Amino acid sequence: QVQLVESGGGLVQPGGSLRLSCAASGNFFSWYIMGWYRQAPGKQRELVAIITTDDTTNYADSVKGRFTISTDNAKNTVYLQMNDLKPDDTAVYYCYFRRLPTVLPYWGQGTQVTVSS
């Protein structure tokens, strides 16, 4: 069992910044993926950014150059620095954890990010 607690969402104006955090606890394998998905009203859930145990990262094309994913030294907390936020970034952001090579994900509770003037 893995527990994910995320924070950092809120309301921000276009062009502003937010930083999301997700703290993981529980039993870990040596290899895993952590990151964020998001779901906006009327849209499908989409991958935003992920990072693996060896610090390999992947980003959605829509956020490349604006968002940065990282972990702390213990690799049990993942951050998403979101810069130059746009209204289309408005969504509920869900922290994601998956042990490798398994396919079963764990999800955080979700945090609302609203970008509006």
Side-chain angles (χ1 to χ4, degrees), residues 30-71:
S30 59
W31 293 96
Y32 54 84
I33 297 170
M34 293 187 69
W36 278 272
Y37 285 68
R38 69 185 181 188
Q39 187 162 18
K43 296 184 178 180
Q44 298 295 315
R45 182 182 63 184
E46 64 175 349
L47 185 148
V48 178
I50 55 171
I51 186 167
T52 61
T53 314
D54 65 352
D55 295 327
T56 300
T57 59
N58 286 284
Y59 296 91
D61 287 342
S62 60
V63 307
K64 286 181 179 177
R66 299 188 297 119
F67 292 9
T68 303
I69 190 169
S70 62
T71 60

Side-chain angles (χ1 to χ4, degrees), residues 7-29:
S7 62
L11 174 65
V12 66
Q13 293 184 331
S17 298
L18 287 172
R19 189 182 73 164
L20 305 183
S21 299
C22 179
S25 62
N27 296 322
F28 281 69
F29 287 176

